């Protein structure tokens, strides 16, 4: 396995300037540039590891492709983190919790969809219990395809995110145009279970609502209402 | 341990109002997102101070509906789905499925294919136990407290194993290398020598691990924690290293041989301690035993075809007739069973029902028996020592 070292250099005007001035340890820069430089080189990750990709995420933070070298430290709490790495399948039962954890992350925050389950639901996407992709709930910045993507891929994804952060801070970021054919193509296929009878969608929605946060108790809260709204959107999407 | 917790250890449904608390009881949720719950697992703990009175496990946060999904798939399409159940030992899960269909169809697997399967299974066992060791020590020491050092050592060897598997199958993680009737990929040239070199490194690494974790703190955290009697283990259907750590001498590799295990001698590791330390002992001994078995298997690896005379590769070629049967193999976590009812849609090209019996699910059932009387900090030790994988618990 070869890690392309040329992609891992952290070129910054500050470095070049300081190289030209040996012995001088003071350099002037704008506050904004300094902040951007610090921000993009300390993207701490919060691994929302639900399944297989979580193991590969551990490997990426292990000793072969050490993500620490990019300033990316895995944190167990969403409150410490800048980037949520959604690694694994998202189930209907887990989706409200993922949303809440995302809301607990402080701004600025980014999201990486790692692996095909987080991108689109993979081959579980038509199942009754699976959410077809994290981007049905949370805006995604970088998609890393693979099942699961290995450490190199994750590193390349983080590098892309660093570029995006830099461009965003400099006001150079342009949202890529959504291609209509792609948008059509990534819509979930007709649900196998949901399609079987017309009332399934409604029944499933009601079941999710009554399930509440606890999974066993009937409890109404803002979050449940929010997740119910989310699910109804999702099921509309599935039924299309 | 205080005897007032004994009723809760005997029966998790013992009513809470009969317990005389020293202070107000407190409800603590652990998970579903928690760095030490090995995936998305939730424990509801009722606490008296720091002591657990009652523990209720909740599962289903990774329920992907696999058993329903495979009813709409042909038999050749299923292998890549089965290795995602237990994502720490994908190889043995594929094998459990392949063995089930082969038994149903009465297909004889060539001798070389059986040897390759055994070799891959044993390497996978080492890899799985290494991940267990790293997460177990991570849970106890924390990332800051030196536990991460152990993980770095374990993952060094796990990367080697991934390289070996990648050389055979082309994939690091989800292999899809078993087809019904044999193997899809033969061993590449020079692979056996690479495995031998890896085994030498691995054997030296065991001593390194011991130097890292053999200390008083490790003993204090694990000895006498999570004591599971043999009766309880047998009653809950717990298999694998967790059962052997309770003093029950049962290993399907020796007692109900599959693959090529009938051609090698398997020395089963048994410990009498019943606690987390005994489970650690058993798994460490199993890794050393796997190294020994692998050397034997590599010595007597036969030549020949890797797939049957009529390789069953076409999606529509496999048709399991109406009938039912249970097959099981010994995975790193215990008995991976497959209950297969044939004669499904499309004249038996799809299964009518395929039920997987995951060993981790049964281990999770023990949580509510083991935890009462322990402190909150022991939860991760007990959970880690049982080595559950949520992918196969919820499926």
């Amino acid at each position: 396995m070869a890690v392309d070292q040329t992609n891992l250099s952290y070129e910054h005007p500050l470095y070049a300037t300081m190289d030209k001035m040996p012995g001088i340890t003071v350099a002037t820069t704008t506050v904004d540039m300094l902040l951007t430089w610090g921000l993009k080189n300390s993207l701490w990750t919060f691994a929302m590891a639900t399944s297989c990709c979580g193991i590969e995420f551990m490997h990426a933070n292990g000793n072969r492709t050490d993500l620490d070298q990019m300033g990316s430290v895995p944190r167990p709490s969403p409150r410490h983190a800048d980037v949520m790495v959604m690694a694994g399948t998202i189930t209907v039962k887990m989706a409200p919790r993922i949303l809440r954890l995302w809301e607990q992350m402080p701004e600025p925050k980014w999201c990486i969809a790692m692996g095909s389950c987080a991108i689109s639901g993979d081959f579980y996407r038509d199942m009754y219990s699976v959410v077809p992709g994290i981007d049905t709930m949370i805006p995604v910045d970088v998609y890393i395809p693979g099942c699961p993507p290995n450490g190199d891929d994750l590193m390349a994804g983080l590098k892309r995110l660093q570029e995006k952060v830099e461009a965003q801070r400099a006001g150079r970021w342009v949202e890529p145009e959504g291609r209509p054919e792609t948008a059509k193509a990534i819509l979930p296929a007709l649900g196998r279970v949901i399609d079987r009878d017309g009332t399934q969608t409604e029944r499933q929605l009601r079941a999710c609502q009554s399930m509440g946060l606890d999974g066993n108790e009937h409890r109404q809260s803002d979050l449940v209402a929010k997740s119910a709204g989310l699910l109804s959107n999702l099921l509309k999407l599935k039924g299309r | 341990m205080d005897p007032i917790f004994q009723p809760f250890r005997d029966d998790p449904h013992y009513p809470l109002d009969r317990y005389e608390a020293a202070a107000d009881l407190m409800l603590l949720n652990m998970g579903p997102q928690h760095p030490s719950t090995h995936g998305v697992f939730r424990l509801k703990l009722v606490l008296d101070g720091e002591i657990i009175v009652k523990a209720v496990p909740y599962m289903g946060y990774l329920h992907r509906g696999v058993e329903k999904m495979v009813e709409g798939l042909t038999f050749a399409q299923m292998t890549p789905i089965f290795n995602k159940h237990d994502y720490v030992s994908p190889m043995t899960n594929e094998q459990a499925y392949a063995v089930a269909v082969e038994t149903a169809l009465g297909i004889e697997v060539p001798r070389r294919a059986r040897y390759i399967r055994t070799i891959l299974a044993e390497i996978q066992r080492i890899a799985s136990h290494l991940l267990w060791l790293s997460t177990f020590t991570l849970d106890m020491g924390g990332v800051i407290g030196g536990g991460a050092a152990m993980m770095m050592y374990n993952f060094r060897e796990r990367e080697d194993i991934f390289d070996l598997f990648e050389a055979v199958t082309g994939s690091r993680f989800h292999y899809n290398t078993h087809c019904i009737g044999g193997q899809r990929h033969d061993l590449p040239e020079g692979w056996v020598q690479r495995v031998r070199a890896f085994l030498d490194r691995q054997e030296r690494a065991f001593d390194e691990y011991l130097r890292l974790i053999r200390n008083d703190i490790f003993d204090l955290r694990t000895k006498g924690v999570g004591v599971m009697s043999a009766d309880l283990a047998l009653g809950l259907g717990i298999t694998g290293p967790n059962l052997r750590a309770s003093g029950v001498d049962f290993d399907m590799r020796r007692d109900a041989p599959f693959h090529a295990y009938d051609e090698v001698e398997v020395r089963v590791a048994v410990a009498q301690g019943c606690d987390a330390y005994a489970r650690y002992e058993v798994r460490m001994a199993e890794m050393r035993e796997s190294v020994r078995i692998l050397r034997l298997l590599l010595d007597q690896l036969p030549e020949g075809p890797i797939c049957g005379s009529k390789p069953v590769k076409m999606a529509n070629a496999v048709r399991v007739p109406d009938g039912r049967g249970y097959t099981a193999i010994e995975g790193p976590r215990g008995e991976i069973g497959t209950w297969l009812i044939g004669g499904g849609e499309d004249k038996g090209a799809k299964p009518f029902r395929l039920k997987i019996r995951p060993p981790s699910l049964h281990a999770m059932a023990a949580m509510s028996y083991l935890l009462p009387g322990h402190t909150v900090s022991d939860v991760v030790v007990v959970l880690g020592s049982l080595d559950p994988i949520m992918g196969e618990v919820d499926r």
Side-chain angles (χ1 to χ4, degrees), chain B residues 94-258:
Chain B
E94 277 181 37
Q95 288 171 357
Y97 164 70
V99 166
V101 181
E102 280 154 9
T103 313
L105 294 172
I107 295 177
E108 184 75 19
V109 182
R111 188 154 174 262
R112 183 175 170 84
R114 286 194 284 122
Y115 263 80
I116 293 175
R117 281 183 185 185
T118 321
I119 290 168
L120 294 176
E122 286 303 319
I123 300 178
Q124 182 72 78
R125 188 182 311 276
I126 296 176
S128 172
H129 284 354
L130 283 178
L131 188 97
W132 161 80
L133 186 60
S134 58
T135 48
F136 190 47
T137 43
L138 266 182
D139 291 349
M140 284 195 296
V143 179
I144 314 292
M150 194 67 199
M151 180 193 143
M152 290 297 167
Y153 279 87
N154 293 156
F155 275 44
R156 181 186 62 188
E157 271 79 49
R158 267 180 68 86
E159 290 281 359
D160 285 353
I161 292 174
F162 277 7
D163 284 350
L164 290 175
F165 282 160
E166 199 175 4
V168 179
T169 65
S171 170
R172 262 168 71 84
F173 209 89
H174 293 316
Y175 309 109
N176 194 13
T177 182
H178 299 82
C179 60
I180 295 152
Q183 293 294 105
R184 197 161 281 146
H185 310 101
D186 204 346
L187 303 180
E189 205 175 321
W191 193 78
V192 173
Q193 283 75 33
R194 282 178 66 184
V195 177
R196 281 187 205 281
F198 160 73
L199 292 179
D200 294 342
R201 283 202 300 280
Q202 181 65 56
E203 209 156 42
R204 284 198 298 277
F206 287 138
D207 301 332
E208 285 179 5
Y209 302 161
L210 286 187
R211 279 207 294 279
L212 270 172
I213 53 175
R214 292 299 301 122
N215 54 48
D216 291 347
I217 299 172
F218 184 82
D219 289 2
L220 285 169
R221 292 288 314 258
T222 51
K223 278 185 179 166
V225 172
V227 177
M228 178 162 59
S229 66
D231 285 345
L232 177 65
L234 288 170
L236 290 173
I238 286 168
T239 46
N242 296 334
L243 179 68
R244 292 194 279 278
S246 294
V248 182
D249 190 2
F250 176 73
D251 190 327
M252 293 192 62
R253 290 180 292 167
R254 184 197 60 197
D255 301 327
F258 49 96

Side-chain angles (χ1 to χ4, degrees), chain A residues 41-226:
Chain A
N41 285 316
S42 66
L43 291 170
W44 287 11
T45 49
F46 164 58
M48 191 56 244
T50 52
S51 58
C52 332
C53 288
I55 306 292
E56 199 62 68
F57 182 83
M58 282 171 80
H59 271 270
N61 286 294
N63 37 16
R64 188 175 280 180
T65 49
D66 192 356
L67 290 187
D68 269 9
Q69 62 181 299
M70 305 183 72
S72 166
V73 186
R75 299 303 300 176
S77 168
R79 287 156 217 259
H80 303 170
D82 306 302
V83 186
M84 181 163 109
V85 180
M86 181 62 227
T89 318
I90 310 136
T91 57
V92 170
K93 193 171 178 180
M94 194 65 195
R97 278 94 177 160
I98 293 173
L99 200 62
R100 174 176 259 190
L101 288 163
W102 169 252
E103 283 165 355
Q104 285 178 354
M105 282 173 64
E107 294 278 356
K109 57 190 174 184
W110 296 273
C111 179
I112 289 179
M114 180 186 180
S116 26
C117 283
I119 292 172
S120 68
D122 207 0
F123 42 60
Y124 306 109
R125 64 188 298 162
D126 296 336
M127 285 320 294
Y128 54 89
S129 59
V130 174
V131 176
I134 187 73
D135 52 4
T136 55
M137 305 154 57
I138 293 170
V140 176
D141 295 287
V142 177
Y143 296 88
I144 307 175
C147 186
N150 59 20
D152 299 359
D153 299 339
L154 197 63
M155 202 176 245
L158 270 173
K159 183 80 183 158
R160 291 287 291 168
L161 187 63
Q162 287 185 343
E163 287 166 15
K164 179 171 180 176
V165 170
E166 197 175 12
Q168 273 178 339
R169 296 276 302 180
R172 285 189 280 109
W173 179 253
V174 187
E175 277 296 326
E177 268 183 48
R179 287 181 299 165
E181 67 273 20
T182 317
K184 200 175 172 187
I186 62 167
L187 267 184
L190 289 177
R192 205 166 63 87
V193 178
I194 291 171
D195 253 12
R196 196 173 287 163
D197 87 56
T199 60
Q200 182 82 32
T201 312
E202 205 181 319
R203 266 195 284 129
Q204 190 181 8
L205 178 61
R206 224 180 300 132
C208 293
Q209 277 171 341
S210 66
M211 189 171 75
L213 245 192
D214 200 72
N216 302 74
E217 292 153 23
H218 294 254
R219 194 165 72 182
Q220 286 294 328
S221 73
D222 291 351
L223 189 61
V224 175
K226 200 179 283 175

Side-chain angles (χ1 to χ4, degrees), chain B residues 81-93:
Chain B
I81 292 163
F82 273 78
N83 57 28
K84 290 174 182 64
H85 289 158
D86 178 355
Y87 38 80
V88 178
S89 59
M91 205 61 102
T92 32
N93 274 264

